[in-house]
Amino acid sequence: MTFAATPQSMNFDKPLALKGGGVLNTYQLQYETYGRLNKNRDNAVLICHALNASHHVAGYYEGQAKTPVGGTT
């Protein structure tokens, strides 16, 4: 079963203290969802991938051509 990626964002107004001493007064978190949570809400998986500079992990966006891993057709 394949699901389209649904881009999401969440805004935060509470300051976030950074380890280096800086502070982000406001920030936006970008993430994607695939499919739906089940009734027990126990089918979620969190993938942290900050090193690729993109919040798009896998899959495709609704209306976008489906391409294999690597992005080539």
Side-chain angles (χ1 to χ4, degrees), residues 8-72:
Q8 309 277 342
S9 65
M10 186 176 290
N11 294 308
F12 294 87
D13 295 326
K14 182 178 177 184
L16 176 66
L18 303 176
K19 187 175 181 178
V23 175
L24 294 176
N25 291 316
T26 63
Y27 58 99
Q28 183 179 69
L29 177 66
Q30 299 290 132
Y31 61 99
E32 294 178 338
T33 57
Y34 302 83
R36 294 186 213 126
L37 285 174
N38 62 20
K39 182 179 178 181
N40 294 329
R41 301 175 64 91
D42 62 1
N43 65 330
V45 176
L46 175 64
I47 302 171
C48 298
H49 59 98
L51 299 178
N52 74 355
S54 172
H55 65 278
H56 192 60
V57 176
Y60 60 95
Y61 290 121
E62 191 68 41
Q64 179 184 33
K66 297 176 187 177
T67 58
V69 174
T72 60

